[in-house]
Amino acid sequence: MIRALKGMKDTLYPENKKFEYFIKNTTDIVKKYGFEFIQTPILEETALFKRSVGESSDIVGKEMYQFIDKGKNDVCLRPEGTAGIVRSFVEAKMDRQGGIQRYFYYGPMFRYERPQKGRFRQFHQFGCESFGESNPLEDANIILMLKEILDFFSINYTLELNSLGCPTCLPPFREKLVSFLDETEGFCDDCLRRKESNPIRVFDCKNPHCQELLKPSPRLNTSLCAECQSDFDTLLKALDANKVNYTLNPNLVRGLDYYSKTAFEFVSTDLGAQNAVAGGGRYDKLVEFLDGRPTPAIGFAIGIERLLDMIEVPEVSRGGYYFGALCQEAKEALFAAANKQRQNDKVIQNYEVKSLKAHLKAADKANARYCAVIGEDELAKKILWVKDLVEKNEEMRELGA
Ligand code: HAM
């Protein structure tokens, strides 16, 4: 038997009802904020992710599903959505339209990670990207929207926030940090590698010894330039005014290179080790970096599997019709009647001739509100026998009426 690949899973019915429930309600919320649906390909040129997410990141450095296609192009399955959205934004010249443009997307992402609870090799994200607004009130808007989504699904979470600085304050900070790392002995091999490729990543190290060594290190949040500090203050003020609780986490550096200024994650204690349910931040330089006109931008992505793990779909009340035949001869009349009913209602047909009892049982299992049958009597009288499974009453309806 051929099985699904490691780290990849089928989501079958009825489990997939959760996915539909999530997409429908999340879409309704983001549309209230002016986000519009767009889609980009799952397969992209590898260079796109190397340039945006960054070669020093684990996502690009270790986890890409990368291969050479039949046309000898170096391609990969997208490990995340933002890079493709920005590529399409530039390719479609949306960067020249000006104004604020807000888009959402959802679909599968691929990372060759070690599978564990909440971590898959194929997983799904729901992402939102807002282009053209540098005002930190848009950061607050995005965070409030994400909070509204998580609150809708009754998720328990903590919001962690940091500012990653900008091209003015980050390079001098990086220098200070590298000097500190050079002077301090005992960091793990990963940290020493990070020191060379992207030093601020050391803050992300999970090794407790490295975290201990980092305690006296220079910190980003005390090294911001005046603009980054003022933008961060404006964001915090807006969150305070809207009663959003948050924790400042100077170790939050995110796993992708394109961020500047605001970075955030929503983490949940209900999730175990892989506790980030959503993450995002500002990426004001990425459009330019992918050859577009300078365009500030901010966005986030929700890990759909992680969120679905924490929600229940409310019971759906009985609805629609179940149509069944009691004799062979009634099948055609039943088929016609079912199609007519479907103009107004959901109708499930059963083609097998069964007893009334069996049809009633099947209608109950299908969660139908009405069970409609035709037998020899009904056929002769040109009527349909209908039982309301909620009110428990029965009626005869004229066929063709
Ligand atoms: P990310 O933090 O890499 O950000 O991923 C976002 C979310 O995807 C995570 O918080 C997590 O819930 C989920 N996720 C990540 N990896 C896995 C996995 N292997 N299995 C299951 N779920 C996973 C991004 O991808 C950015 N593109 C977000 C963004 C959008 N930033 C700005 N705009």
Side-chain angles (χ1 to χ4, degrees):
M1 185 176 50
I2 299 174
R3 293 176 184 277
L5 293 171
K6 191 172 171 194
M8 309 205 170
K9 61 171 187 167
D10 304 311
T11 24
L12 307 175
Y13 185 81
E15 173 67 15
N16 222 17
K17 281 206 288 191
K18 272 194 192 180
F19 190 92
E20 274 185 299
Y21 172 70
F22 166 77
I23 295 293
K24 177 173 183 316
N25 290 292
T26 306
T27 300
D28 287 350
I29 295 173
V30 302
K31 283 193 168 177
K32 279 199 313 177
Y33 288 75
F35 284 77
E36 298 296 344
F37 184 44
I38 59 171
Q39 283 174 293
T40 60
I42 288 170
L43 202 61
E44 294 271 7
E45 253 187 69
T46 302
L48 172 65
F49 300 104
K50 286 193 173 171
R51 263 167 78 179
S52 54
V53 177
E55 291 194 66
S56 72
S57 68
D58 282 356
I59 295 176
V60 171
K62 299 183 189 164
E63 298 167 1
M64 293 243 278
Y65 276 89
Q66 184 184 353
F67 60 96
I68 305 295
D69 73 6
K70 289 188 168 63
K72 304 211 175 351
N73 305 298
D74 187 348
V75 296
C76 68
L77 296 175
R78 61 182 182 193
E80 59 101 53
T82 311
I85 300 289
V86 174
R87 179 204 44 72
S88 72
F89 184 79
V90 174
E91 194 173 333
K93 300 190 175 42
M94 280 133 80
D95 54 332
R96 298 180 192 189
Q97 281 175 27
I100 310 185
Q101 300 175 62
R102 299 183 174 99
Y103 301 109
F104 74 93
Y105 54 93
Y106 56 88
M109 309 291 159
F110 302 83
R111 296 183 190 175
Y112 197 86
E113 295 193 80
R114 199 168 43 78
Q116 62 178 90
K117 185 175 172 347
R119 189 161 72 186
F120 307 98
R121 290 182 175 169
Q122 177 178 330
F123 60 98
H124 295 75
Q125 287 186 343
F126 188 107
C128 288
E129 313 291 352
S130 165
F131 293 98
E133 184 55 74
S134 57
N135 193 317
L137 286 179
E138 181 64 357
D139 306 27
N141 190 41
I142 287 269
I143 290 174
L144 280 171
M145 180 172 80
L146 182 48
K147 179 181 176 305
E148 185 174 337
I149 295 169
L150 300 182
D151 287 343
F152 177 88
F153 294 108
S154 307
I155 304 291
N156 292 318
Y157 55 77
T158 311
L159 164 62
E160 299 197 349
L161 272 181
N162 195 14
S163 173
L164 300 178
C166 68
T168 305
C169 50
L170 187 60
F173 171 75
R174 222 186 261 132
E175 269 179 42
K176 273 199 282 179
L177 179 63
V178 170
S179 308
F180 171 84
L181 296 172
D182 282 338
E183 288 157 11
T184 315
E185 283 189 7
F187 280 105
C188 70
D189 287 348
D190 266 351
C191 280
L192 295 177
R193 201 173 38 79
R194 290 179 183 124
K195 187 183 83 178
E196 302 305 324
S197 55
N198 189 355
I200 65 164
R201 279 268 157 71
V202 294
F203 293 115
D204 207 19
C205 185
K206 303 285 176 279
N207 183 328
H209 181 62
C210 296
Q211 283 302 333
E212 195 57 38
L213 291 175
L214 279 170
K215 277 193 176 153
S217 78
R219 290 289 162 156
L220 248 171
N221 56 337
T222 51
S223 310
L224 297 177
C225 64
E227 186 187 298
C228 286
Q229 189 61 59
S230 141
D231 279 4
F232 200 48
D233 291 345
T234 305
L235 167 62
L236 299 188
K237 210 169 140 203
L239 295 179
D240 290 339
N242 285 282
K243 303 199 169 22
V244 180
N245 294 325
Y246 53 82
T247 307
L248 297 180
N249 178 357
N251 281 354
L252 179 71
V253 288
R254 307 276 296 127
L256 309 94
D257 279 356
Y258 48 62
Y259 292 113
S260 54
K261 296 189 175 174
T262 309
F264 58 88
E265 268 178 16
F266 282 80
V267 296
S268 177
T269 42
D270 297 339
L271 275 175
Q274 301 305 314
N275 63 357
V277 63
R282 233 177 217 287
Y283 50 94
D284 287 346
K285 298 291 162 200
L286 185 57
V287 176
E288 215 173 323
F289 210 62
L290 293 176
D291 305 318
R293 286 198 180 161
T295 309
I298 175 162
F300 68 83
I302 299 171
I304 298 183
E305 281 79 3
R306 290 187 193 174
L307 187 136
L308 296 192
D309 213 26
M310 296 185 281
I311 68 171
E312 292 298 334
V313 180
E315 282 287 317
V316 200
S317 51
R318 287 187 175 282
Y321 282 75
Y322 169 98
F323 271 63
L326 299 175
C327 65
Q328 201 63 25
E329 299 70 35
K331 279 188 171 176
E332 269 179 40
L334 190 97
F335 193 81
N339 278 331
K340 190 147 185 287
Q341 192 70 50
R342 193 172 285 119
Q343 289 170 4
N344 305 311
D345 296 290
K346 175 181 170 186
V347 175
I348 301 165
Q349 290 193 62
N350 193 313
Y351 303 105
E352 216 180 313
V353 173
K354 292 187 198 187
S355 68
L356 179 59
K357 199 174 159 204
H359 278 312
L360 284 167
K361 207 170 155 196
D364 181 48
K365 195 171 168 215
N367 210 24
R369 164 98 196 235
Y370 301 97
C371 178
V373 297
I374 303 180
E376 281 171 15
D377 270 8
E378 287 79 14
L379 199 60
K381 293 181 191 156
K382 294 196 171 50
I383 53 168
L384 183 69
W385 181 89
V386 181
K387 177 162 184 179
D388 182 335
L389 301 180
V390 175
E391 299 292 333
K392 309 282 182 211
N393 51 29
E394 301 163 18
E395 62 171 311
M396 301 292 188
R397 291 187 200 165
E398 273 180 47
L399 275 179

mmCIF file with all atom_site columns, all heavy atoms in Angstrom, residues 10 65 74 86 117 153 157 168 184 212 224 243 293 309 353 379 390 398:
data_model
loop_
_atom_site.group_PDB
_atom_site.id
_atom_site.type_symbol
_atom_site.label_atom_id
_atom_site.label_alt_id
_atom_site.label_comp_id
_atom_site.label_asym_id
_atom_site.label_entity_id
_atom_site.label_seq_id
_atom_site.pdbx_PDB_ins_code
_atom_site.Cartn_x
_atom_site.Cartn_y
_atom_site.Cartn_z
_atom_site.occupancy
_atom_site.B_iso_or_equiv
_atom_site.pdbx_formal_charge
_atom_site.auth_seq_id
_atom_site.auth_comp_id
_atom_site.auth_asym_id
_atom_site.auth_atom_id
_atom_site.pdbx_PDB_model_num
ATOM 1   N N   . ASP A 1 10  ? -3.544  13.619 5.001   1.00 0.00 ? 10  ASP A N   1
ATOM 2   C CA  . ASP A 1 10  ? -4.826  13.868 4.363   1.00 0.00 ? 10  ASP A CA  1
ATOM 3   C C   . ASP A 1 10  ? -5.726  14.510 5.400   1.00 0.00 ? 10  ASP A C   1
ATOM 4   O O   . ASP A 1 10  ? -5.656  14.162 6.578   1.00 0.00 ? 10  ASP A O   1
ATOM 5   C CB  . ASP A 1 10  ? -5.456  12.531 3.930   1.00 0.00 ? 10  ASP A CB  1
ATOM 6   C CG  . ASP A 1 10  ? -4.529  11.736 3.031   1.00 0.00 ? 10  ASP A CG  1
ATOM 7   O OD1 . ASP A 1 10  ? -4.020  12.325 2.068   1.00 0.00 ? 10  ASP A OD1 1
ATOM 8   O OD2 . ASP A 1 10  ? -4.308  10.534 3.305   1.00 0.00 ? 10  ASP A OD2 1
ATOM 9   N N   . TYR A 1 65  ? 12.112  22.182 -0.171  1.00 0.00 ? 65  TYR A N   1
ATOM 10  C CA  . TYR A 1 65  ? 11.862  21.117 -1.149  1.00 0.00 ? 65  TYR A CA  1
ATOM 11  C C   . TYR A 1 65  ? 12.307  21.674 -2.495  1.00 0.00 ? 65  TYR A C   1
ATOM 12  O O   . TYR A 1 65  ? 11.538  22.311 -3.201  1.00 0.00 ? 65  TYR A O   1
ATOM 13  C CB  . TYR A 1 65  ? 10.375  20.771 -1.191  1.00 0.00 ? 65  TYR A CB  1
ATOM 14  C CG  . TYR A 1 65  ? 9.951   19.786 -0.128  1.00 0.00 ? 65  TYR A CG  1
ATOM 15  C CD1 . TYR A 1 65  ? 9.541   20.216 1.127   1.00 0.00 ? 65  TYR A CD1 1
ATOM 16  C CD2 . TYR A 1 65  ? 9.953   18.423 -0.392  1.00 0.00 ? 65  TYR A CD2 1
ATOM 17  C CE1 . TYR A 1 65  ? 9.153   19.310 2.097   1.00 0.00 ? 65  TYR A CE1 1
ATOM 18  C CE2 . TYR A 1 65  ? 9.565   17.510 0.569   1.00 0.00 ? 65  TYR A CE2 1
ATOM 19  C CZ  . TYR A 1 65  ? 9.170   17.960 1.812   1.00 0.00 ? 65  TYR A CZ  1
ATOM 20  O OH  . TYR A 1 65  ? 8.783   17.054 2.755   1.00 0.00 ? 65  TYR A OH  1
ATOM 21  N N   . ASP A 1 74  ? 15.972  25.877 -11.465 1.00 0.00 ? 74  ASP A N   1
ATOM 22  C CA  . ASP A 1 74  ? 16.103  25.577 -10.033 1.00 0.00 ? 74  ASP A CA  1
ATOM 23  C C   . ASP A 1 74  ? 14.840  26.106 -9.349  1.00 0.00 ? 74  ASP A C   1
ATOM 24  O O   . ASP A 1 74  ? 14.630  27.318 -9.263  1.00 0.00 ? 74  ASP A O   1
ATOM 25  C CB  . ASP A 1 74  ? 17.364  26.282 -9.508  1.00 0.00 ? 74  ASP A CB  1
ATOM 26  C CG  . ASP A 1 74  ? 17.678  25.891 -8.080  1.00 0.00 ? 74  ASP A CG  1
ATOM 27  O OD1 . ASP A 1 74  ? 16.823  25.263 -7.429  1.00 0.00 ? 74  ASP A OD1 1
ATOM 28  O OD2 . ASP A 1 74  ? 18.781  26.240 -7.611  1.00 0.00 ? 74  ASP A OD2 1
ATOM 29  N N   . VAL A 1 86  ? 4.877   39.056 -2.748  1.00 0.00 ? 86  VAL A N   1
ATOM 30  C CA  . VAL A 1 86  ? 5.652   40.256 -3.097  1.00 0.00 ? 86  VAL A CA  1
ATOM 31  C C   . VAL A 1 86  ? 6.143   40.150 -4.552  1.00 0.00 ? 86  VAL A C   1
ATOM 32  O O   . VAL A 1 86  ? 6.089   41.118 -5.307  1.00 0.00 ? 86  VAL A O   1
ATOM 33  C CB  . VAL A 1 86  ? 6.834   40.466 -2.117  1.00 0.00 ? 86  VAL A CB  1
ATOM 34  C CG1 . VAL A 1 86  ? 7.722   41.614 -2.570  1.00 0.00 ? 86  VAL A CG1 1
ATOM 35  C CG2 . VAL A 1 86  ? 6.311   40.739 -0.714  1.00 0.00 ? 86  VAL A CG2 1
ATOM 36  N N   . LYS A 1 117 ? 4.423   16.937 16.841  1.00 0.00 ? 117 LYS A N   1
ATOM 37  C CA  . LYS A 1 117 ? 3.084   17.495 17.049  1.00 0.00 ? 117 LYS A CA  1
ATOM 38  C C   . LYS A 1 117 ? 3.075   18.979 16.630  1.00 0.00 ? 117 LYS A C   1
ATOM 39  O O   . LYS A 1 117 ? 3.912   19.752 17.095  1.00 0.00 ? 117 LYS A O   1
ATOM 40  C CB  . LYS A 1 117 ? 2.703   17.353 18.526  1.00 0.00 ? 117 LYS A CB  1
ATOM 41  C CG  . LYS A 1 117 ? 1.277   17.796 18.800  1.00 0.00 ? 117 LYS A CG  1
ATOM 42  C CD  . LYS A 1 117 ? 0.896   17.520 20.223  1.00 0.00 ? 117 LYS A CD  1
ATOM 43  C CE  . LYS A 1 117 ? -0.415  18.081 20.694  1.00 0.00 ? 117 LYS A CE  1
ATOM 44  N NZ  . LYS A 1 117 ? -1.124  19.033 19.953  1.00 0.00 ? 117 LYS A NZ  1
ATOM 45  N N   . PHE A 1 153 ? -12.290 32.331 17.418  1.00 0.00 ? 153 PHE A N   1
ATOM 46  C CA  . PHE A 1 153 ? -12.186 30.873 17.593  1.00 0.00 ? 153 PHE A CA  1
ATOM 47  C C   . PHE A 1 153 ? -11.871 30.484 19.048  1.00 0.00 ? 153 PHE A C   1
ATOM 48  O O   . PHE A 1 153 ? -11.526 29.330 19.319  1.00 0.00 ? 153 PHE A O   1
ATOM 49  C CB  . PHE A 1 153 ? -11.113 30.304 16.648  1.00 0.00 ? 153 PHE A CB  1
ATOM 50  C CG  . PHE A 1 153 ? -11.492 30.437 15.196  1.00 0.00 ? 153 PHE A CG  1
ATOM 51  C CD1 . PHE A 1 153 ? -10.858 31.357 14.371  1.00 0.00 ? 153 PHE A CD1 1
ATOM 52  C CD2 . PHE A 1 153 ? -12.510 29.660 14.662  1.00 0.00 ? 153 PHE A CD2 1
ATOM 53  C CE1 . PHE A 1 153 ? -11.218 31.487 13.041  1.00 0.00 ? 153 PHE A CE1 1
ATOM 54  C CE2 . PHE A 1 153 ? -12.880 29.792 13.328  1.00 0.00 ? 153 PHE A CE2 1
ATOM 55  C CZ  . PHE A 1 153 ? -12.234 30.704 12.523  1.00 0.00 ? 153 PHE A CZ  1
ATOM 56  N N   . TYR A 1 157 ? -4.091  32.770 24.030  1.00 0.00 ? 157 TYR A N   1
ATOM 57  C CA  . TYR A 1 157 ? -2.801  33.124 23.450  1.00 0.00 ? 157 TYR A CA  1
ATOM 58  C C   . TYR A 1 157 ? -2.132  34.232 24.246  1.00 0.00 ? 157 TYR A C   1
ATOM 59  O O   . TYR A 1 157 ? -2.757  34.910 25.058  1.00 0.00 ? 157 TYR A O   1
ATOM 60  C CB  . TYR A 1 157 ? -2.966  33.614 22.001  1.00 0.00 ? 157 TYR A CB  1
ATOM 61  C CG  . TYR A 1 157 ? -3.948  34.759 21.911  1.00 0.00 ? 157 TYR A CG  1
ATOM 62  C CD1 . TYR A 1 157 ? -3.593  36.052 22.299  1.00 0.00 ? 157 TYR A CD1 1
ATOM 63  C CD2 . TYR A 1 157 ? -5.242  34.532 21.476  1.00 0.00 ? 157 TYR A CD2 1
ATOM 64  C CE1 . TYR A 1 157 ? -4.507  37.085 22.249  1.00 0.00 ? 157 TYR A CE1 1
ATOM 65  C CE2 . TYR A 1 157 ? -6.162  35.558 21.422  1.00 0.00 ? 157 TYR A CE2 1
ATOM 66  C CZ  . TYR A 1 157 ? -5.787  36.836 21.802  1.00 0.00 ? 157 TYR A CZ  1
ATOM 67  O OH  . TYR A 1 157 ? -6.696  37.852 21.772  1.00 0.00 ? 157 TYR A OH  1
ATOM 68  N N   . THR A 1 168 ? 19.061  51.799 9.519   1.00 0.00 ? 168 THR A N   1
ATOM 69  C CA  . THR A 1 168 ? 19.852  52.814 10.234  1.00 0.00 ? 168 THR A CA  1
ATOM 70  C C   . THR A 1 168 ? 20.401  52.237 11.543  1.00 0.00 ? 168 THR A C   1
ATOM 71  O O   . THR A 1 168 ? 21.575  52.397 11.853  1.00 0.00 ? 168 THR A O   1
ATOM 72  C CB  . THR A 1 168 ? 18.972  54.060 10.561  1.00 0.00 ? 168 THR A CB  1
ATOM 73  O OG1 . THR A 1 168 ? 18.414  54.518 9.346   1.00 0.00 ? 168 THR A OG1 1
ATOM 74  C CG2 . THR A 1 168 ? 19.761  55.153 11.253  1.00 0.00 ? 168 THR A CG2 1
ATOM 75  N N   . THR A 1 184 ? 32.905  36.580 24.107  1.00 0.00 ? 184 THR A N   1
ATOM 76  C CA  . THR A 1 184 ? 32.315  35.608 25.042  1.00 0.00 ? 184 THR A CA  1
ATOM 77  C C   . THR A 1 184 ? 32.524  34.182 24.538  1.00 0.00 ? 184 THR A C   1
ATOM 78  O O   . THR A 1 184 ? 32.103  33.859 23.426  1.00 0.00 ? 184 THR A O   1
ATOM 79  C CB  . THR A 1 184 ? 30.788  35.874 25.187  1.00 0.00 ? 184 THR A CB  1
ATOM 80  O OG1 . THR A 1 184 ? 30.597  37.272 25.333  1.00 0.00 ? 184 THR A OG1 1
ATOM 81  C CG2 . THR A 1 184 ? 30.190  35.142 26.360  1.00 0.00 ? 184 THR A CG2 1
ATOM 82  N N   . GLU A 1 212 ? 21.871  31.817 28.648  1.00 0.00 ? 212 GLU A N   1
ATOM 83  C CA  . GLU A 1 212 ? 22.521  32.317 29.865  1.00 0.00 ? 212 GLU A CA  1
ATOM 84  C C   . GLU A 1 212 ? 23.663  33.274 29.484  1.00 0.00 ? 212 GLU A C   1
ATOM 85  O O   . GLU A 1 212 ? 23.779  34.380 30.032  1.00 0.00 ? 212 GLU A O   1
ATOM 86  C CB  . GLU A 1 212 ? 23.052  31.104 30.665  1.00 0.00 ? 212 GLU A CB  1
ATOM 87  C CG  . GLU A 1 212 ? 23.431  31.374 32.105  1.00 0.00 ? 212 GLU A CG  1
ATOM 88  C CD  . GLU A 1 212 ? 22.300  31.963 32.944  1.00 0.00 ? 212 GLU A CD  1
ATOM 89  O OE1 . GLU A 1 212 ? 21.133  31.550 32.757  1.00 0.00 ? 212 GLU A OE1 1
ATOM 90  O OE2 . GLU A 1 212 ? 22.601  32.856 33.774  1.00 0.00 ? 212 GLU A OE2 1
ATOM 91  N N   . LEU A 1 224 ? 17.455  51.008 19.408  1.00 0.00 ? 224 LEU A N   1
ATOM 92  C CA  . LEU A 1 224 ? 16.689  51.477 18.243  1.00 0.00 ? 224 LEU A CA  1
ATOM 93  C C   . LEU A 1 224 ? 16.987  52.942 17.936  1.00 0.00 ? 224 LEU A C   1
ATOM 94  O O   . LEU A 1 224 ? 17.244  53.744 18.850  1.00 0.00 ? 224 LEU A O   1
ATOM 95  C CB  . LEU A 1 224 ? 15.185  51.321 18.512  1.00 0.00 ? 224 LEU A CB  1
ATOM 96  C CG  . LEU A 1 224 ? 14.662  49.901 18.734  1.00 0.00 ? 224 LEU A CG  1
ATOM 97  C CD1 . LEU A 1 224 ? 13.167  49.917 19.061  1.00 0.00 ? 224 LEU A CD1 1
ATOM 98  C CD2 . LEU A 1 224 ? 14.909  49.038 17.487  1.00 0.00 ? 224 LEU A CD2 1
ATOM 99  N N   . LYS A 1 243 ? -6.816  48.032 24.531  1.00 0.00 ? 243 LYS A N   1
ATOM 100 C CA  . LYS A 1 243 ? -6.822  46.990 25.570  1.00 0.00 ? 243 LYS A CA  1
ATOM 101 C C   . LYS A 1 243 ? -6.285  45.640 25.056  1.00 0.00 ? 243 LYS A C   1
ATOM 102 O O   . LYS A 1 243 ? -6.841  44.571 25.349  1.00 0.00 ? 243 LYS A O   1
ATOM 103 C CB  . LYS A 1 243 ? -8.213  46.806 26.158  1.00 0.00 ? 243 LYS A CB  1
ATOM 104 C CG  . LYS A 1 243 ? -8.777  48.084 26.740  1.00 0.00 ? 243 LYS A CG  1
ATOM 105 C CD  . LYS A 1 243 ? -9.895  47.842 27.691  1.00 0.00 ? 243 LYS A CD  1
ATOM 106 C CE  . LYS A 1 243 ? -10.306 49.056 28.494  1.00 0.00 ? 243 LYS A CE  1
ATOM 107 N NZ  . LYS A 1 243 ? -9.984  50.370 27.986  1.00 0.00 ? 243 LYS A NZ  1
ATOM 108 N N   . ARG A 1 293 ? 9.230   49.157 -6.618  1.00 0.00 ? 293 ARG A N   1
ATOM 109 C CA  . ARG A 1 293 ? 9.388   50.503 -6.065  1.00 0.00 ? 293 ARG A CA  1
ATOM 110 C C   . ARG A 1 293 ? 9.315   50.419 -4.549  1.00 0.00 ? 293 ARG A C   1
ATOM 111 O O   . ARG A 1 293 ? 8.518   49.648 -4.018  1.00 0.00 ? 293 ARG A O   1
ATOM 112 C CB  . ARG A 1 293 ? 8.242   51.397 -6.538  1.00 0.00 ? 293 ARG A CB  1
ATOM 113 C CG  . ARG A 1 293 ? 8.402   51.776 -7.966  1.00 0.00 ? 293 ARG A CG  1
ATOM 114 C CD  . ARG A 1 293 ? 7.546   52.980 -8.289  1.00 0.00 ? 293 ARG A CD  1
ATOM 115 N NE  . ARG A 1 293 ? 7.752   53.304 -9.680  1.00 0.00 ? 293 ARG A NE  1
ATOM 116 C CZ  . ARG A 1 293 ? 6.941   54.039 -10.398 1.00 0.00 ? 293 ARG A CZ  1
ATOM 117 N NH1 . ARG A 1 293 ? 5.843   54.535 -9.864  1.00 0.00 ? 293 ARG A NH1 1
ATOM 118 N NH2 . ARG A 1 293 ? 7.198   54.285 -11.661 1.00 0.00 ? 293 ARG A NH2 1
ATOM 119 N N   . ASP A 1 309 ? -6.253  22.566 15.606  1.00 0.00 ? 309 ASP A N   1
ATOM 120 C CA  . ASP A 1 309 ? -6.037  21.640 16.712  1.00 0.00 ? 309 ASP A CA  1
ATOM 121 C C   . ASP A 1 309 ? -6.713  22.146 17.995  1.00 0.00 ? 309 ASP A C   1
ATOM 122 O O   . ASP A 1 309 ? -6.972  21.371 18.906  1.00 0.00 ? 309 ASP A O   1
ATOM 123 C CB  . ASP A 1 309 ? -4.517  21.551 16.948  1.00 0.00 ? 309 ASP A CB  1
ATOM 124 C CG  . ASP A 1 309 ? -4.122  20.185 17.409  1.00 0.00 ? 309 ASP A CG  1
ATOM 125 O OD1 . ASP A 1 309 ? -4.849  19.251 17.073  1.00 0.00 ? 309 ASP A OD1 1
ATOM 126 O OD2 . ASP A 1 309 ? -3.107  20.066 18.127  1.00 0.00 ? 309 ASP A OD2 1
ATOM 127 N N   . VAL A 1 353 ? -33.111 1.062  -3.392  1.00 0.00 ? 353 VAL A N   1
ATOM 128 C CA  . VAL A 1 353 ? -34.464 0.836  -2.880  1.00 0.00 ? 353 VAL A CA  1
ATOM 129 C C   . VAL A 1 353 ? -34.329 0.248  -1.470  1.00 0.00 ? 353 VAL A C   1
ATOM 130 O O   . VAL A 1 353 ? -33.630 -0.740 -1.268  1.00 0.00 ? 353 VAL A O   1
ATOM 131 C CB  . VAL A 1 353 ? -35.246 -0.136 -3.803  1.00 0.00 ? 353 VAL A CB  1
ATOM 132 C CG1 . VAL A 1 353 ? -36.595 -0.499 -3.182  1.00 0.00 ? 353 VAL A CG1 1
ATOM 133 C CG2 . VAL A 1 353 ? -35.440 0.489  -5.179  1.00 0.00 ? 353 VAL A CG2 1
ATOM 134 N N   . LEU A 1 379 ? -46.583 6.705  -5.833  1.00 0.00 ? 379 LEU A N   1
ATOM 135 C CA  . LEU A 1 379 ? -46.424 6.811  -7.291  1.00 0.00 ? 379 LEU A CA  1
ATOM 136 C C   . LEU A 1 379 ? -47.794 6.824  -7.973  1.00 0.00 ? 379 LEU A C   1
ATOM 137 O O   . LEU A 1 379 ? -48.054 7.655  -8.848  1.00 0.00 ? 379 LEU A O   1
ATOM 138 C CB  . LEU A 1 379 ? -45.595 5.621  -7.787  1.00 0.00 ? 379 LEU A CB  1
ATOM 139 C CG  . LEU A 1 379 ? -44.958 5.761  -9.153  1.00 0.00 ? 379 LEU A CG  1
ATOM 140 C CD1 . LEU A 1 379 ? -44.009 6.951  -9.205  1.00 0.00 ? 379 LEU A CD1 1
ATOM 141 C CD2 . LEU A 1 379 ? -44.190 4.477  -9.508  1.00 0.00 ? 379 LEU A CD2 1
ATOM 142 N N   . VAL A 1 390 ? -37.471 17.030 12.687  1.00 0.00 ? 390 VAL A N   1
ATOM 143 C CA  . VAL A 1 390 ? -37.366 17.854 13.896  1.00 0.00 ? 390 VAL A CA  1
ATOM 144 C C   . VAL A 1 390 ? -38.737 17.926 14.577  1.00 0.00 ? 390 VAL A C   1
ATOM 145 O O   . VAL A 1 390 ? -38.910 17.570 15.734  1.00 0.00 ? 390 VAL A O   1
ATOM 146 C CB  . VAL A 1 390 ? -36.836 19.264 13.566  1.00 0.00 ? 390 VAL A CB  1
ATOM 147 C CG1 . VAL A 1 390 ? -36.858 20.156 14.813  1.00 0.00 ? 390 VAL A CG1 1
ATOM 148 C CG2 . VAL A 1 390 ? -35.418 19.174 13.007  1.00 0.00 ? 390 VAL A CG2 1
ATOM 149 N N   . GLU A 1 398 ? -48.014 17.001 -3.416  1.00 0.00 ? 398 GLU A N   1
ATOM 150 C CA  . GLU A 1 398 ? -48.259 16.570 -4.799  1.00 0.00 ? 398 GLU A CA  1
ATOM 151 C C   . GLU A 1 398 ? -46.956 16.590 -5.578  1.00 0.00 ? 398 GLU A C   1
ATOM 152 O O   . GLU A 1 398 ? -46.194 17.564 -5.480  1.00 0.00 ? 398 GLU A O   1
ATOM 153 C CB  . GLU A 1 398 ? -49.249 17.524 -5.484  1.00 0.00 ? 398 GLU A CB  1
ATOM 154 C CG  . GLU A 1 398 ? -50.678 17.129 -5.249  1.00 0.00 ? 398 GLU A CG  1
ATOM 155 C CD  . GLU A 1 398 ? -51.609 18.099 -5.933  1.00 0.00 ? 398 GLU A CD  1
ATOM 156 O OE1 . GLU A 1 398 ? -51.362 18.418 -7.114  1.00 0.00 ? 398 GLU A OE1 1
ATOM 157 O OE2 . GLU A 1 398 ? -52.549 18.552 -5.267  1.00 0.00 ? 398 GLU A OE2 1
#
